């Protein structure tokens, strides 16, 4: 079914016809459908704001969602959105030109959050947290203006794992990015349909499709971050024991509150022996 060129969305035109790429594409589509179903993301007739940064992950997200929509498996409207945050050197024309060429409905929003962050954060400190909060606030606003019920992000399996270990090592809590989240106001969902997709698959897919990838280090803040340190640790574990990432990811889906230490999740005090 996926191999008929006359049936595909424009985002898949020119796709490699190799067996390896076809398997990759089917794997990504299958994993995305699994996440959509497992976490109850699809509300027929809803409208989604799909966030596009220009990185490999968001391109993969956009393509697979349109693939599912194209085939009648995702009965929602999709509006792609890029938030240009005023980072120096950001190629502002790349995404609009790409989306126009692909016939993808979209909104491009310019908000200079970069200057705000640079003004508020002392020199030498990382500013990803503030940047992320400002970005999320604007995306919530745009979603409401466009009548969307959900913001859809391109975080993949490895992002989720890295966030878990960052919280474990630095935050003192067991938490990560959930595939489905309701915002504090209770009016918008945040979805991560690529939750089961490996980062390496996103990279292989986007590069094989020759999508115009925009580098993620324009702000100059990435080197030396805690996330990069965690990624290096996970890379080392994966090299020494291939498949380790997937095992750890499955563990996040198999929590046992009675075998942890949080009394808010399990009533240890009320646990009683059976009396003879």
């Amino acid at each position: 079914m996926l191999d008929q060129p006359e049936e595909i969305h424009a985002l898949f035109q020119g796709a490699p016809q190799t067996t390896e790429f076809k398997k990759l594409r089917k794997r990504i589509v299958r994993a995305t459908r699994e996440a959509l179903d497992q976490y109850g993301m699809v509300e027929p007739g809803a409208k989604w704001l799909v966030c596009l940064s220009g990185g490999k992950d968001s391109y993969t997200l956009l393509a697979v969602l349109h693939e599912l929509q194209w085939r009648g498996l995702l009965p929602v409207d999709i509006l792609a959105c890029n938030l240009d945050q005023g980072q120096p050197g950001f190629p502002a024309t790349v995404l609009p030109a790409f989306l126009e060429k692909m016939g993808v409905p979209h909104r491009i929003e310019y908000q200079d959050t970069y200057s705000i962050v640079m003004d508020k954060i002392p020199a030498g400190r990382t500013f990803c947290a503030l940047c992320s909060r400002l970005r999320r606030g604007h995306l919530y606003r745009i979603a409401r203006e466009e009548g969307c019920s959900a913001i859809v992000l391109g975080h993949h399996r490895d992002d989720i794992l890295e966030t878990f270990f960052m919280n474990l090592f630095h935050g003192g809590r067991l938490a990560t990015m959930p595939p489905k989240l309701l915002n504090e106001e209770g009016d918008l969902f945040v979805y991560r349909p690529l939750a089961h997709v490996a980062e390496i698959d996103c990279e292989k897919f986007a590069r094989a499709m020759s999508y115009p990838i925009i580098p993620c280090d324009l702000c100059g803040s990435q080197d030396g971050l805690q996330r990069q340190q965690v990624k290096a640790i996970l890379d080392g574990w994966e090299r020494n024991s291939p498949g380790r990432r997937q095992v750890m990811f499955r563990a996040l889906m198999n929590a046992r509150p009675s075998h942890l230490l949080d009394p808010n999740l399990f009533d240890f005090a009320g646990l009683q022996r059976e009396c003879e």
Side-chain angles (χ1 to χ4, degrees):
M1 180 178 68
L2 296 180
D3 301 334
Q4 300 299 319
E6 66 274 15
E7 296 181 355
I8 62 176
H9 187 274
L11 285 162
F12 282 90
Q13 290 180 358
Q17 294 302 304
T18 64
T19 300
E20 181 182 4
F21 180 81
K22 291 177 182 177
K23 289 181 178 179
L24 170 67
R25 177 178 169 184
K26 291 177 181 178
R27 184 164 65 245
I28 293 173
V29 170
R30 182 172 59 248
T32 303
R33 287 191 66 187
E34 181 182 72
L36 292 173
D37 294 340
Q38 187 170 16
Y39 298 105
M41 298 183 194
V42 180
E43 296 176 294
K47 185 177 182 181
W48 288 2
L49 189 74
V50 178
C51 301
L52 188 66
S53 66
K56 63 184 186 307
D57 311 326
S58 62
Y59 278 124
T60 301
L61 172 68
L62 186 70
V64 72
L65 292 182
H66 274 86
E67 170 78 4
L68 293 171
Q69 184 194 55
W70 183 262
R71 299 190 180 281
L73 300 174
L74 184 61
V76 303
D77 292 328
I78 294 174
L79 178 66
C81 178
N82 172 250
L83 179 62
D84 181 346
Q85 296 180 259
Q87 294 174 337
F90 183 78
T93 62
V94 170
L95 287 173
F98 173 81
L99 294 169
E100 287 287 348
K101 179 181 178 181
M102 296 298 163
V104 174
H106 62 278
R107 173 169 169 175
I108 306 297
E109 178 91 3
Y110 178 80
Q111 294 290 335
D112 186 7
T113 62
Y114 179 82
S115 295
I116 297 174
V117 171
M118 295 301 291
D119 180 63
K120 298 292 184 183
I121 303 298
R125 299 287 297 275
T126 59
F127 43 77
C128 292
L130 177 57
C131 182
S132 178
R133 287 197 298 272
L134 293 173
R135 179 172 63 249
R136 188 65 58 88
H138 284 298
L139 291 175
Y140 284 160
R141 172 183 57 78
I142 295 168
R144 294 181 182 112
E145 291 175 357
E146 296 290 347
C148 297
S149 62
I151 291 173
V152 186
L153 305 175
H155 295 128
H156 45 65
R157 181 201 68 180
D158 298 75
D159 288 324
I160 291 173
L161 271 177
E162 290 161 14
T163 300
F164 172 78
F165 280 102
M166 287 176 67
N167 282 317
L168 177 67
F169 295 156
H170 304 289
R173 61 184 178 273
L174 298 180
T176 188
M177 301 171 172
K180 181 180 181 180
L181 176 71
L182 186 64
N183 70 338
E184 292 182 359
E185 292 79 6
D187 66 331
L188 289 170
F189 285 115
V190 177
Y191 294 152
R192 297 180 172 93
L194 299 185
H196 294 176
V197 178
E199 179 177 20
I200 187 63
D201 281 351
C202 292
E203 181 172 359
K204 289 178 179 178
F205 177 83
R207 294 199 180 279
M209 291 302 305
S210 298
Y211 292 146
I213 297 173
I214 298 173
C216 65
D217 59 351
L218 292 172
C219 61
S221 66
Q222 299 302 313
D223 291 340
L225 291 181
Q226 294 171 349
R227 182 173 293 276
Q228 296 301 316
Q229 296 170 356
V230 168
K231 182 186 285 288
I233 292 172
L234 295 179
D235 285 344
W237 287 347
E238 186 70 21
R239 284 194 300 271
N240 292 332
S241 182
R244 178 70 61 87
R245 271 192 169 92
Q246 186 59 23
V247 171
M248 291 187 291
F249 183 79
R250 286 203 304 268
L252 294 179
M253 302 171 64
N254 189 26
R256 298 186 180 183
S258 64
H259 287 57
L260 297 172
L261 281 73
D262 190 342
N264 293 315
L265 295 180
F266 186 82
D267 184 14
F268 293 100
L271 192 63
Q272 302 290 327
R273 293 180 295 109
E274 291 186 8
C275 297
E276 295 182 0

